[in-house]
Amino acid sequence: MEGRQAQSSTVTPPGRYTLPPTRYFSEDILFCIDVDPESLVEMKVTGPTGRPFTRLDSIKQAIHLFINAKLAINTDHRFAFAALGKSAYWLRKEFSSDVDSSTAAFRGITVDSSSGNADLTQLFRVAAHEAKKSRAQNRLLRVVSSLIHFHVTFSYIIGDVPIMEPNIGP
């Protein structure tokens, strides 16, 4: 094309894909972990001790790997933790990039045997509030939820009018 200059003097070999360097936004990541009794169901995979992993064990391991990967990309990412029983509640409200405190927060999760259908309304309210705080600090809020409930009813409400009520379950 006429009038267009090459952006880089290096040539990428055929078949190799590279990404141009970009700025990564600092993120506040809120994990919401389901503490329903179904999270204690054992899976077919066993751990190093020979004890079968539960769904909750797998979630904890995935979160641990996710935190380390995100911090390898940008050390300014911060994490907070909430649990979801009958409603959402904080495990650790303060966002922090400290791996040890993050690990302690989600490893100390216990299952709520009395939980029934999850009420996600409080979680969405908390997320909306935290998003405003994150935006004010020029940060991006992400909510990562591990929902294990198999009988959850979601209600989507615009104003005072419910517009859809799908039931997710077997």
Side-chain angles (χ1 to χ4, degrees), residues 25-61:
F25 287 99
S26 296
E27 299 176 10
D28 288 338
I29 301 170
L30 171 59
F31 288 99
C32 185
I33 303 157
D34 194 352
V35 292
D36 185 78
E38 292 178 38
S39 65
L40 292 180
V41 170
E42 291 181 347
M43 299 174 24
K44 294 179 182 178
V45 180
T46 58
T49 62
R51 183 181 66 85
F53 278 117
T54 64
R55 292 176 179 171
L56 186 58
D57 293 333
S58 297
I59 290 167
K60 289 177 181 181
Q61 182 65 30

Side-chain angles (χ1 to χ4, degrees), residues 39 91 101 117 120 144 158:
S39 65
L91 295 168
S101 68
N117 286 342
L120 299 177
V144 179
I158 297 178

Side-chain angles (χ1 to χ4, degrees), residues 19-165:
L19 292 173
T22 59
R23 179 183 179 279
Y24 292 105
F25 287 99
S26 296
E27 299 176 10
D28 288 338
I29 301 170
L30 171 59
F31 288 99
C32 185
I33 303 157
D34 194 352
V35 292
D36 185 78
E38 292 178 38
S39 65
L40 292 180
V41 170
E42 291 181 347
M43 299 174 24
K44 294 179 182 178
V45 180
T46 58
T49 62
R51 183 181 66 85
F53 278 117
T54 64
R55 292 176 179 171
L56 186 58
D57 293 333
S58 297
I59 290 167
K60 289 177 181 181
Q61 182 65 30
I63 290 171
H64 182 72
L65 293 171
F66 182 86
I67 288 171
N68 283 295
K70 290 298 277 187
L71 289 174
I73 293 168
N74 183 348
T75 58
D76 197 33
H77 291 321
R78 302 183 309 186
F79 307 93
F81 298 90
L84 182 64
K86 286 189 178 185
S87 63
Y89 58 93
W90 287 108
L91 295 168
R92 190 186 76 204
K93 186 173 182 175
E94 300 80 27
F95 284 92
S96 170
S97 58
D98 180 46
V99 176
D100 292 333
S101 68
S102 294
T103 303
F106 72 79
R107 292 204 187 238
I109 296 170
T110 57
V111 172
D112 182 3
S113 62
S114 66
S115 66
N117 286 342
D119 178 8
L120 299 177
T121 307
Q122 187 62 26
L123 172 62
F124 292 135
R125 285 185 182 139
V126 165
H129 176 73
E130 292 300 325
K132 289 177 187 175
K133 289 174 26 181
S134 293
R135 251 181 273 142
Q137 298 173 19
N138 201 26
R139 301 178 69 83
L140 180 67
L141 176 73
R142 296 192 188 276
V143 178
V144 179
S145 177
S146 67
L147 191 61
I148 298 176
H149 286 80
F150 286 104
H151 302 285
V152 178
T153 301
F154 295 95
S155 294
Y156 302 95
I157 299 174
I158 297 178
D160 293 329
V161 181
I163 58 172
M164 183 169 42
E165 291 190 22

